[in-house]
Amino acid sequence: MAIKVLVFPCGSEIGLEIHAALKYSKAVELYGASSVSDHGAFAYLRYRQIDAHVQSPDFIEQLNELIQEWGIDMILPAHDSVVLKLAECRDTLLATAAVPSAAVAGVCRNKNSTYARLSEAGFDFIPADISGLSDTYPIFAKPAVGQGSQGAEVVHDYQRHQQLLDCGIEYVFSEYLPGAEYTVDCISDSAGRLLHFSPRERSRVKSGISVRTRPVRLAQSVERIADSIASTFCFKGAWFFQIKCDVQGRYKLLEIAPRIAGSMGLSRNLGINYPLLSVYAYAGLAFEVLPQDYPLEMDRALQSRFRTGLQYDCVYLDLDDTLIIKGSVNTLLMALLYQWVNQQVSVILITRHAQCPRATLAQYKISEHLFSQIIHIVDGSPKSDVIERRQGVLFIDDSYRERLDVSRQVGIPVFDLDAVEQLLDWRA
């Protein structure tokens, strides 16, 4: 039986990576929830927006209501604040929370606490702390509670340093680290043993998120850092840490997070599905990793997904320059064809093709069984003559003349190729 997993907040970059990682898994039945209207509604087939946010007094109560309604087995957090809240309230949750103990989550949520805990253990990969105003500049400043590189800055003089000291926000002030920055994705088993770590370069960062990243090989000292953190905190499942080089080229710790990272999709495509392995770890299941090793780079940008209010059960689809375009199969329309098969939407191929349409479909390895009917117009009559005049029918054709005629004569929605993306349902 599949493990019912609830992701919260599911529309964050982390939540969307979890969706991408778990949506095809036969071991998981995926659910999503958020406290604000977000992209999760466009990605998660089973989705709910709740009224409470993580600081609301009834947050856990509302989560428990969803857990009971959906029969949830496990919650995967998709934000650092949610990790801490679930850890603090795990005894009152009605499902397993994929989070560490409240003590460990609290230490990891505050970078000053993280540095203090690891310094007490005698580790030397902690950046040098700056207490009070510094004798030399630049230094590095970052909010003690935060995520990614948000709020981080290089402080070049004592005036700015004093402003940050007086601003009322707890900061980490440390030595300036001029070297390259890396994220190290890690996976531990259900007993907290580190199984694998995957360093990657933060090549391009936007709003604190690594939107371009690639795997890198780093010095053996990084493995020592990973082992030291793992032995100190005994994380289960996926977690990561970030490092940067000091002036002497030594790796120093920036932060640790006991959760999925939004850019773990890079490692997922190299054989390690961190969200799925986290589910296994917190379910107490045994697993191993099979990493792949070849050049790969990942870049992320805004992607449009649509939620159309159209209700339809029949699509009329053109062949030339529509399904077949520039001598190749239109792969977006092929995806839609199989979506419509799953949704039991009837697709009728309507074409003025110069040859036999079935022979051309066979040439391009497109099954004619994807269509409920093939209408071959050879007498020059308008396509509007053979299209059903009723609601629930759509027409897709690259020709403006054909679309204009169908729109005027039949009165149904018509689509050029640049508009069919709105019909693709990404939810899973």
Side-chain angles (χ1 to χ4, degrees), residues 48-162:
R48 185 76 55 81
Q49 183 179 335
I50 64 174
D51 296 329
H53 56 80
V54 71
Q55 300 301 330
S56 300
D58 61 342
F59 175 67
I60 297 300
E61 179 183 345
Q62 289 199 31
L63 276 187
N64 279 336
E65 288 175 0
L66 275 184
I67 290 167
Q68 288 182 306
E69 178 184 344
W70 286 338
I72 298 298
D73 300 303
M74 186 179 298
I75 304 177
L76 285 183
H79 191 277
D80 294 277
S81 296
V82 179
V83 172
L84 180 57
K85 185 67 174 182
L86 295 183
E88 293 171 342
C89 301
R90 65 192 315 152
D91 292 339
T92 58
L93 280 169
L94 300 179
T96 299
V99 294
S101 69
V104 168
V107 168
C108 293
R109 189 66 178 116
N110 185 298
K111 297 172 188 64
N112 282 323
S113 299
T114 302
Y115 292 172
R117 176 69 182 86
L118 292 169
S119 294
E120 290 169 3
F123 298 123
D124 60 359
F125 50 82
I126 309 303
D129 178 59
I130 306 294
S131 298
L133 292 174
S134 179
D135 295 328
T136 59
Y137 293 92
I139 64 170
F140 185 69
K142 190 173 187 178
V145 177
Q147 47 278 332
S149 58
Q150 295 177 4
E153 63 177 279
V154 178
V155 178
H156 293 279
D157 53 57
Y158 74 90
Q159 289 96 340
R160 179 56 179 162
H161 191 181
Q162 188 65 60

Side-chain angles (χ1 to χ4, degrees), residues 5-10 12-22 30 44 74-83 86 97-100 147-148 183-188 200 202 208-210 235-242 255-268 272-282 287 298 300:
V5 174
L6 172 63
V7 181
F8 186 94
C10 67
S12 67
E13 289 297 319
I14 302 159
L16 296 176
E17 166 53 27
I18 295 172
H19 174 268
L22 298 184
L30 194 58
Y44 284 76
M74 186 179 298
I75 304 177
L76 285 183
H79 191 277
D80 294 277
S81 296
V82 179
V83 172
L86 295 183
V99 294
Q147 47 278 332
T183 296
V184 183
D185 298 329
C186 301
I187 187 71
S188 298
R200 52 184 170 85
R202 292 166 59 86
I209 298 171
S210 177
F235 297 124
K236 289 183 183 181
W239 53 282
F240 67 93
F241 63 94
Q242 292 177 345
E255 62 181 272
I256 304 169
R259 59 163 173 83
I260 307 299
S263 296
M264 279 181 172
L266 176 73
S267 294
R268 171 168 52 83
I272 304 176
N273 188 327
Y274 283 93
L276 182 59
L277 297 182
S278 281
V279 171
Y280 290 164
Y282 278 92
F287 61 88
M298 183 180 79
R300 292 188 289 165

